[in-house]
PDB file of all heavy atoms in Angstrom:
ATOM      1  N   GLN E 186     -11.488   8.476  -6.479  1.00 96.00           N
ATOM      2  CA  GLN E 186     -11.419   7.677  -7.719  1.00 96.00           C
ATOM      3  C   GLN E 186     -12.778   7.063  -8.031  1.00 96.00           C
ATOM      4  O   GLN E 186     -13.546   6.946  -7.037  1.00 96.00           O
ATOM      5  CB  GLN E 186     -10.444   6.616  -7.546  1.00 96.00           C
ATOM      6  CG  GLN E 186      -8.988   6.891  -7.204  1.00 96.00           C
ATOM      7  CD  GLN E 186      -8.143   5.550  -7.005  1.00 96.00           C
ATOM      8  OE1 GLN E 186      -7.562   5.389  -5.983  1.00 96.00           O
ATOM      9  NE2 GLN E 186      -8.208   4.654  -7.951  1.00 96.00           N
ATOM     10  N   PRO E 187     -12.908   6.786  -9.229  1.00 97.00           N
ATOM     11  CA  PRO E 187     -14.215   6.026  -9.557  1.00 97.00           C
ATOM     12  C   PRO E 187     -14.188   4.691  -8.744  1.00 97.00           C
ATOM     13  O   PRO E 187     -13.213   4.009  -8.574  1.00 97.00           O
ATOM     14  CB  PRO E 187     -14.220   5.783 -11.010  1.00 97.00           C
ATOM     15  CG  PRO E 187     -12.797   6.032 -11.446  1.00 97.00           C
ATOM     16  CD  PRO E 187     -12.344   6.976 -10.378  1.00 97.00           C
ATOM     17  N   ILE E 188     -15.406   4.197  -8.332  1.00 96.00           N
ATOM     18  CA  ILE E 188     -15.365   3.040  -7.573  1.00 96.00           C
ATOM     19  C   ILE E 188     -15.127   1.766  -8.505  1.00 96.00           C
ATOM     20  O   ILE E 188     -14.430   0.834  -8.073  1.00 96.00           O
ATOM     21  CB  ILE E 188     -16.777   2.780  -6.872  1.00 96.00           C
ATOM     22  CG1 ILE E 188     -16.893   3.830  -5.836  1.00 96.00           C
ATOM     23  CG2 ILE E 188     -16.849   1.415  -6.297  1.00 96.00           C
ATOM     24  CD1 ILE E 188     -18.313   3.799  -5.146  1.00 96.00           C
ATOM     25  N   SER E 189     -15.575   1.743  -9.751  1.00 97.00           N
ATOM     26  CA  SER E 189     -15.465   0.744 -10.618  1.00 97.00           C
ATOM     27  C   SER E 189     -15.420   1.171 -12.091  1.00 97.00           C
ATOM     28  O   SER E 189     -16.027   2.171 -12.342  1.00 97.00           O
ATOM     29  CB  SER E 189     -16.520  -0.384 -10.440  1.00 97.00           C
ATOM     30  OG  SER E 189     -17.693   0.138 -10.614  1.00 97.00           O
ATOM     31  N   MET E 190     -14.763   0.263 -12.881  1.00 97.00           N
ATOM     32  CA  MET E 190     -14.777   0.557 -14.378  1.00 97.00           C
ATOM     33  C   MET E 190     -14.791  -0.757 -15.016  1.00 97.00           C
ATOM     34  O   MET E 190     -14.243  -1.701 -14.537  1.00 97.00           O
ATOM     35  CB  MET E 190     -13.610   1.292 -14.806  1.00 97.00           C
ATOM     36  CG  MET E 190     -13.418   2.785 -14.259  1.00 97.00           C
ATOM     37  SD  MET E 190     -11.973   3.575 -14.771  1.00 97.00           S
ATOM     38  CE  MET E 190     -12.401   3.805 -16.521  1.00 97.00           C
ATOM     39  N   ASP E 191     -15.424  -0.787 -16.173  1.00 97.00           N
ATOM     40  CA  ASP E 191     -15.471  -2.003 -17.009  1.00 97.00           C
ATOM     41  C   ASP E 191     -14.779  -1.600 -18.345  1.00 97.00           C
ATOM     42  O   ASP E 191     -14.934  -0.634 -18.885  1.00 97.00           O
ATOM     43  CB  ASP E 191     -16.907  -2.573 -17.361  1.00 97.00           C
ATOM     44  CG  ASP E 191     -17.544  -3.041 -16.031  1.00 97.00           C
ATOM     45  OD1 ASP E 191     -16.820  -3.443 -15.113  1.00 97.00           O
ATOM     46  OD2 ASP E 191     -18.743  -3.115 -16.035  1.00 97.00           O
ATOM     47  N   SER E 192     -14.099  -2.598 -19.016  1.00 97.00           N
ATOM     48  CA  SER E 192     -13.460  -2.397 -20.184  1.00 97.00           C
ATOM     49  C   SER E 192     -13.402  -3.712 -20.913  1.00 97.00           C
ATOM     50  O   SER E 192     -13.168  -4.733 -20.322  1.00 97.00           O
ATOM     51  CB  SER E 192     -12.001  -1.867 -19.976  1.00 97.00           C
ATOM     52  OG  SER E 192     -11.412  -1.620 -21.340  1.00 97.00           O
ATOM     53  N   TYR E 193     -13.371  -3.678 -22.231  1.00 97.00           N
ATOM     54  CA  TYR E 193     -13.238  -4.840 -23.027  1.00 97.00           C
ATOM     55  C   TYR E 193     -11.674  -5.058 -23.189  1.00 97.00           C
ATOM     56  O   TYR E 193     -10.870  -4.209 -23.246  1.00 97.00           O
ATOM     57  CB  TYR E 193     -13.881  -4.757 -24.335  1.00 97.00           C
ATOM     58  CG  TYR E 193     -15.447  -4.950 -24.308  1.00 97.00           C
ATOM     59  CD1 TYR E 193     -16.157  -3.718 -24.338  1.00 97.00           C
ATOM     60  CD2 TYR E 193     -15.900  -6.119 -24.160  1.00 97.00           C
ATOM     61  CE1 TYR E 193     -17.619  -3.953 -24.213  1.00 97.00           C
ATOM     62  CE2 TYR E 193     -17.324  -6.323 -23.948  1.00 97.00           C
ATOM     63  CZ  TYR E 193     -18.139  -5.122 -24.023  1.00 97.00           C
ATOM     64  OH  TYR E 193     -19.594  -5.255 -23.948  1.00 97.00           O
ATOM     65  N   GLU E 194     -11.263  -6.325 -23.442  1.00 97.00           N
ATOM     66  CA  GLU E 194     -10.013  -6.681 -23.776  1.00 97.00           C
ATOM     67  C   GLU E 194      -9.371  -5.795 -25.006  1.00 97.00           C
ATOM     68  O   GLU E 194     -10.119  -5.552 -25.955  1.00 97.00           O
ATOM     69  CB  GLU E 194      -9.798  -8.192 -24.049  1.00 97.00           C
ATOM     70  CG  GLU E 194      -9.572  -9.024 -22.871  1.00 97.00           C
ATOM     71  CD  GLU E 194      -9.203 -10.408 -23.295  1.00 97.00           C
ATOM     72  OE1 GLU E 194      -9.985 -11.137 -24.016  1.00 97.00           O
ATOM     73  OE2 GLU E 194      -7.966 -10.687 -23.030  1.00 97.00           O
ATOM     74  N   GLY E 195      -8.225  -5.412 -24.869  1.00 97.00           N
ATOM     75  CA  GLY E 195      -7.636  -4.638 -26.037  1.00 97.00           C
ATOM     76  C   GLY E 195      -7.820  -3.186 -26.117  1.00 97.00           C
ATOM     77  O   GLY E 195      -7.122  -2.540 -26.825  1.00 97.00           O
ATOM     78  N   GLN E 196      -8.650  -2.678 -25.165  1.00 97.00           N
ATOM     79  CA  GLN E 196      -8.892  -1.326 -25.075  1.00 97.00           C
ATOM     80  C   GLN E 196      -7.970  -0.542 -24.305  1.00 97.00           C
ATOM     81  O   GLN E 196      -7.242  -1.242 -23.394  1.00 97.00           O
ATOM     82  CB  GLN E 196     -10.398  -1.002 -24.651  1.00 97.00           C
ATOM     83  CG  GLN E 196     -11.484  -1.451 -25.778  1.00 97.00           C
ATOM     84  CD  GLN E 196     -12.820  -1.028 -25.196  1.00 97.00           C
ATOM     85  OE1 GLN E 196     -13.103  -0.869 -24.098  1.00 97.00           O
ATOM     86  NE2 GLN E 196     -13.658  -0.634 -26.275  1.00 97.00           N
ATOM     87  N   GLU E 197      -7.870   0.641 -24.377  1.00 97.00           N
ATOM     88  CA  GLU E 197      -7.142   1.469 -23.508  1.00 97.00           C
ATOM     89  C   GLU E 197      -7.982   1.860 -22.319  1.00 97.00           C
ATOM     90  O   GLU E 197      -9.163   2.385 -22.567  1.00 97.00           O
ATOM     91  CB  GLU E 197      -6.564   2.758 -24.185  1.00 97.00           C
ATOM     92  CG  GLU E 197      -5.712   3.660 -23.365  1.00 97.00           C
ATOM     93  CD  GLU E 197      -5.329   4.946 -24.067  1.00 97.00           C
ATOM     94  OE1 GLU E 197      -6.287   5.798 -24.230  1.00 97.00           O
ATOM     95  OE2 GLU E 197      -4.138   5.128 -24.347  1.00 97.00           O
ATOM     96  N   VAL E 198      -7.496   1.904 -21.212  1.00 98.00           N
ATOM     97  CA  VAL E 198      -8.148   2.281 -20.077  1.00 98.00           C
ATOM     98  C   VAL E 198      -7.570   3.457 -19.318  1.00 98.00           C
ATOM     99  O   VAL E 198      -6.364   3.447 -19.067  1.00 98.00           O
ATOM    100  CB  VAL E 198      -8.370   1.106 -19.034  1.00 98.00           C
ATOM    101  CG1 VAL E 198      -9.033   1.588 -17.657  1.00 98.00           C
ATOM    102  CG2 VAL E 198      -9.233  -0.014 -19.578  1.00 98.00           C
TER     103      VAL E 198
END
Side-chain angles (χ1 to χ4, degrees):
Chain E
Q186 302 172 233
I188 295 174
S189 65
M190 294 181 68
D191 293 337
S192 175
Y193 287 102
E194 272 193 295
Q196 289 189 329
E197 177 185 74
V198 171

